[in-house]
C-alpha cells in the first residue's frame, strides 16, 4: 500500500488530490472519471481537507476491500473461490436483471487476466481497486427496510421492487402480504392503541391516567369489546393508503430522474416523504374517523357511517381535515430519523460483523427496524399528540377550537414538555409485539401467495 501510495502521489507532497489520482491511475492503466475520483476522495477524506493522506488512503482501501469481498462472496454461488459466467447470470437474475451468457462472458473477459474465463479474488479486487462502490445491490436487498415493519403508524418509506418483481406481478403480492400482516398486527395491539389515544386527549396533571387505570376505565364503560373501538377503520385504511403510497412513490422516483434501480438515502427520504404526504392527504378523513371512533362512548354512534354523517352535519367537511398540518409535518422527522437510524445501525453491523456474507439474519433486521421506527416515533410524537387532540376537539364537550400553535403553547404552559408525550408508554409497549406479529404473519402470507423470499 505504501508503494502504491507513492506511485499515485505524483507531486510528492504526501497527499493525494484528484489531480494526483487521475494522473497516477492513468500511468497504471486505470482510467477513472472525475466523478469517480471525487467520490473516492470524499469517501476517504476524514479531516475534510480535500485530499487523502496515507492513513486515510489505507483506511479507504481496507473499507473498500471489505465491501468488494462481500460482493465477491455473494456472486460465488459454488463457493469455489471463482466466479464464472453462469454465476454472474444467476446473481443478476436474482436482482431482477436478465442478461445472456454471452453478455456475462464479456463482463468476465474485462477482468480475466489469465484467460481461464473465471475470476478469482485477486483479479476481482485488482480490477475494482480504487473504483467507488455505491449501493451494492446484494447488501441493499438483504437490508431493505420493508413493509413488514408496521407499528400501526404506517409512516414507513415504501418498499422498493426490482424490475422483475414489477413485471411478474410479485409486487402486489408483497403489498397484500404486508397489508394482511398490518391488519393482524393492528388488531392484536388495538387495546394499546386506543389507550394511547385516550391518554393523548384526556390525560393531564389533574387526570393522571395510568395504563392499568385506563384499561379498567375502558372495560367499565363499555365492556371488553370497547378495547377495540376504532380498530375497524384503522385496518380498513391500510389498503388504500399502501396502494396510493406505492403508486406515488413509483411516480416520484421517475420524476427525480434517477437511473439507479435502488434510490440513494436522500432520494428515498425525499420520495418516501412525498409519497407518504400524498397517501395521508388522500385518506386523512379516515384518520379523523378512527380517532373519533376510538374516543366514542357506548351508544354514541351506531357505526363508522353514522359517525361520519354526524361529523358532517354538525361540523361540516372541514372537520375531516382537523390536525392535517401537524400530521403532514410529522412525516418528515419520522421518515428522516427512521431511515437515518436504520442506515447507521446497518453500517455499524456491516463494519463489525459482516465477514463472509452481508446477510444479517432475521433477528438483526427486526432489531434494527424496531429501534429505528421507535426513534422516528419519539421524534414526531409531539406532533402526533397535537394532531390527535385537534381531531378530537369537537368530541370533547365545551372544548374551544384552537390552532396547532395554540395547542402547543397551552400544553407547554399547563403541563410542561412532559405533556407533549402523554400516551407514549402504551405506544412503545405495542412496538415489539406489533413488529413481531407483522413479521410472522407476513412470512406466512408470502408462502401462501407464492412470493419468493430474497
Amino acid at each position: 500500500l505504501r508503494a502504491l501510495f507513492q506511485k499515485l502521489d505524483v507531486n510528492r507532497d504526501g497527499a493525494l488530490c484528484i489531480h494526483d489520482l487521475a494522473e497516477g491511475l492513468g500511468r497504471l492503466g486505470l482510467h477513472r472519471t472525475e466523478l469517480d475520483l471525487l467520490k473516492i476522495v470524499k469517501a476517504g477524506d476524514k479531516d475534510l481537507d480535500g485530499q487523502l493522506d496515507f492513513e486515510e488512503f489505507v483506511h479507504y482501501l481496507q473499507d473498500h476491500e471489505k465491501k468488494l469481498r462481500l460482493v465477491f462472496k455473494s456472486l460465488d454461488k459454488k463457493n469455489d473461490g471463482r466466479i464464472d459466467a453462469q454465476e454472474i447470470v444467476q446473481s443478476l437474475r436474482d436482482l431482477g436483471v436478465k442478461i445472456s451468457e454471452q453478455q456475462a462472458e464479456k463482463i468476465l473477459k474485462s477482468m480475466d487476466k489469465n484467460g481461464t474465463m473465471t475470476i478469482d479474488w485477486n483479479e476481482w479486487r485488482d480490477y475494482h481497486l480504487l473504483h467507488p462502490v455505491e449501493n451494492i445491490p446484494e447488501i441493499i436487498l438483504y437490508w431493505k427496510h420493508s413493509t413488514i415493519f408496521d407499528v400501526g403508524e404506517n409512516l414507513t418509506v415504501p418498499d422498493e421492487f426490482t424490475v422483475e418483481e414489477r413485471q411478474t406481478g410479485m409486487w402486489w403480492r408483497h403489498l397484500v402480504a404486508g397489508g394482511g400482516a398490518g391488519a393482524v398486527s393492528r388488531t392484536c395491539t388495538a387495546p394499546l392503541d386506543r389507550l394511547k389515544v385516550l391518554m393523548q386527549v384526556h390525560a393531564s396533571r389533574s387526570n393522571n391516567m395510568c395504563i392499568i387505570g385506563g384499561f379498567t376505565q375502558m372495560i367499565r364503560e363499555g365492556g371488553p369489546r370497547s378495547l377495540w373501538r376504532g380498530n375497524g377503520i384503522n385496518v380498513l385504511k391500510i389498503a388504500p393508503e399502501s396502494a396510493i403510497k406505492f403508486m406515488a412513490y413509483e411516480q416520484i422516483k421517475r420524476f427525480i430522474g434517477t437511473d439507479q434501480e435502488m434510490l440513494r438515502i436522500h432520494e428515498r427520504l425525499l420520495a418516501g416523504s412525498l409519497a407518504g404526504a400524498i397517501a395521508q392527504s388522500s385518506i386523512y378523513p379516515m384518520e379523523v374517523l378512527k380517532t373519533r371512533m376510538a374516543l366514542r362512548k357506548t351508544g354514541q354512534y351506531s357505526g363508522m357511517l353514522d359517525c361520519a354523517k354526524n361529523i358532517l352535519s354538525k361540523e361540516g367537511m372541514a372537520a375531516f381535515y382537523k390536525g392535517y398540518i401537524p400530521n403532514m409535518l410529522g412525516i418528515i422527522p419520522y421518515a428522516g430519523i427512521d431511515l437515518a437510524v436504520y442506515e447507521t445501525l446497518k453500517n455499524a453491523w456491516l463494519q463489525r460483523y459482516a465477514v463472509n456474507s452481508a446477510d444479517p439474519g432475521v433477528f438483526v433486521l427486526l432489531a434494527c427496524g424496531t429501534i429505528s421506527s421507535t426513534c422516528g416515533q419519539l421524534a414526531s410524537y409531539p406532533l402526533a399528540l397535537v394532531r390527535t387532540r385537534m381531531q378530537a376537539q369537537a368530541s370533547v364537550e365545551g372544548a374551544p377550537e384552537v390552532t396547532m400553535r395554540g395547542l402547543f403553547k397551552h400544553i407547554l404552559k399547563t403541563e410542561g414538555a412532559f405533556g407533549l408525550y402523554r400516551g407514549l408508554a402504551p405506544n412503545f409497549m405495542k412496538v415489539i409485539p406489533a413488529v413481531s406479529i407483522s413479521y410472522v404473519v407476513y412470512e406466512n402470507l408470502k408462502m401462501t401467495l407464492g412470493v419468493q423470499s430474497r
Side-chain angles (χ1 to χ4, degrees):
L1 289 178
R2 175 71 70 180
L4 176 61
F5 183 82
Q6 288 171 349
K7 284 179 184 176
L8 295 174
D9 185 13
V10 176
N11 58 11
R12 306 292 180 199
D13 63 349
L16 303 178
C17 62
I18 291 173
H19 175 74
D20 285 333
L21 285 171
E23 194 171 331
L25 288 170
R27 290 176 185 177
L28 295 172
L30 299 168
H31 299 283
R32 302 284 179 252
T33 66
E34 190 174 344
L35 183 62
D36 285 343
L37 298 174
L38 273 168
K39 286 176 182 175
I40 290 169
V41 172
K42 191 176 178 181
D45 186 15
K46 301 296 179 189
D47 56 11
L48 304 176
D49 63 352
Q51 53 189 5
L52 304 178
D53 59 29
F54 181 65
E55 280 185 21
E56 289 171 333
F57 178 71
V58 170
H59 186 271
Y60 169 79
L61 284 185
Q62 286 174 340
D63 185 51
H64 187 69
E65 187 171 320
K66 191 172 187 177
K67 290 177 183 176
L68 289 175
R69 187 172 284 280
L70 285 173
V71 181
F72 183 83
K73 289 277 184 184
S74 73
L75 291 170
D76 183 16
K77 304 286 185 188
K78 298 172 188 170
N79 291 319
D80 59 357
R82 292 182 172 276
I83 301 168
D84 59 29
Q86 286 181 338
E87 287 171 319
I88 289 177
V89 171
Q90 183 59 49
S91 296
L92 289 174
R93 190 170 291 157
D94 290 345
L95 296 173
V97 180
K98 291 181 180 178
I99 65 167
S100 66
E101 202 158 321
Q102 288 76 20
Q103 289 172 308
E105 285 172 1
K106 279 186 182 177
I107 295 170
L108 278 175
K109 282 178 184 174
S110 65
M111 303 183 221
D112 182 25
K113 291 180 180 177
N114 53 17
T116 59
M117 286 307 290
T118 59
I119 310 162
D120 61 21
W121 162 242
N122 289 329
E123 288 171 325
W124 172 265
R125 182 193 57 201
D126 293 347
Y127 180 82
H128 290 286
L129 190 69
L130 289 165
H131 196 291
V133 175
E134 283 192 346
N135 286 353
I136 299 171
E138 186 255 352
I139 293 176
I140 288 171
L141 283 180
Y142 275 128
W143 284 95
K144 278 173 73 174
H145 198 0
S146 188
T147 48
I148 60 168
F149 300 124
D150 183 349
V151 290
E153 301 297 328
N154 206 21
L155 292 170
T156 49
V157 174
D159 213 339
E160 289 185 48
F161 299 101
T162 64
V163 174
E164 190 175 37
E165 283 172 330
R166 288 200 290 267
Q167 287 174 348
T168 58
M170 278 292 170
W171 65 271
W172 70 261
R173 298 186 194 188
H174 277 283
L175 288 184
V176 169
V184 175
S185 166
R186 290 180 189 201
T187 302
C188 291
T189 57
L192 285 165
D193 196 54
R194 188 181 177 221
L195 178 62
K196 177 193 77 173
V197 173
L198 286 171
M199 289 175 79
Q200 284 178 330
V201 175
H202 296 302
S204 62
R205 278 181 178 167
S206 57
N207 178 25
N208 195 15
M209 190 185 291
C210 65
I211 291 168
I212 295 170
F215 278 128
T216 306
Q217 185 180 317
M218 284 191 284
I219 293 168
R220 191 185 295 134
E221 191 275 329
R225 279 187 66 185
S226 69
L227 297 174
W228 277 267
R229 278 180 192 165
N231 182 59
I233 197 152
N234 197 28
V235 168
L236 204 61
K237 70 187 176 74
I238 291 173
E241 186 172 13
S242 299
I244 293 165
K245 190 190 286 183
F246 169 69
M247 288 185 286
Y249 190 66
E250 289 300 307
Q251 292 303 316
I252 293 163
K253 274 173 68 176
R254 290 193 187 97
F255 181 75
I256 289 171
T258 180
D259 293 327
Q260 296 180 13
E261 180 62 30
M262 301 294 180
L263 298 185
R264 288 171 289 184
I265 298 305
H266 67 279
E267 290 172 334
R268 284 197 75 193
L269 174 58
L270 175 64
S273 298
L274 287 174
I278 291 166
Q280 286 273 298
S281 299
S282 306
I283 59 97
Y284 193 74
M286 296 176 82
E287 291 278 357
V288 176
L289 273 176
K290 176 229 168 185
T291 300
R292 295 291 182 91
M293 293 291 284
L295 291 168
R296 81 185 191 274
K297 291 174 182 172
T298 303
Q300 189 174 353
Y301 307 117
S302 60
M304 281 183 275
L305 285 175
D306 184 47
C307 179
K309 283 179 187 175
N310 200 284
I311 295 169
L312 192 61
S313 62
K314 288 184 179 178
E315 303 167 59
M317 193 64 194
F320 288 105
Y321 284 89
K322 282 182 177 175
Y324 177 79
I325 292 172
N327 186 69
M328 291 298 108
L329 292 175
I331 289 171
I332 298 165
Y334 183 98
I337 289 170
D338 185 19
L339 266 181
V341 172
Y342 188 78
E343 287 297 314
T344 302
L345 293 172
K346 175 189 88 170
N347 290 330
W349 189 92
L350 285 170
Q351 289 294 325
R352 182 166 293 188
Y353 300 109
V355 180
N356 294 323
S357 172
D359 183 2
V362 171
F363 179 76
V364 175
L365 278 177
L366 288 179
C368 290
T370 304
I371 293 166
S372 64
S373 183
T374 302
C375 290
Q377 284 188 73
L378 190 61
S380 62
Y381 194 82
L383 285 161
L385 179 135
V386 168
R387 173 203 67 193
T388 305
R389 286 206 181 179
M390 289 177 77
Q391 289 172 343
Q393 272 174 9
S395 68
V396 181
E397 285 184 24
E401 290 282 329
V402 290
T403 61
M404 178 181 78
R405 191 176 174 188
L407 254 178
F408 267 115
K409 280 185 176 178
H410 175 73
I411 293 167
L412 288 170
K413 187 178 179 180
T414 57
E415 302 178 56
F418 181 76
L420 293 170
Y421 288 91
R422 295 277 179 199
L424 190 65
N427 192 57
F428 278 179
M429 281 172 69
K430 73 175 185 175
V431 171
I432 292 174
V435 170
S436 305
I437 293 163
S438 282
Y439 179 77
V440 172
V441 177
Y442 181 75
E443 287 299 311
N444 281 285
L445 280 174
K446 277 205 311 181
M447 284 192 288
T448 305
L449 293 167
V451 177
Q452 295 174 342
S453 291
R454 297 184 183 98

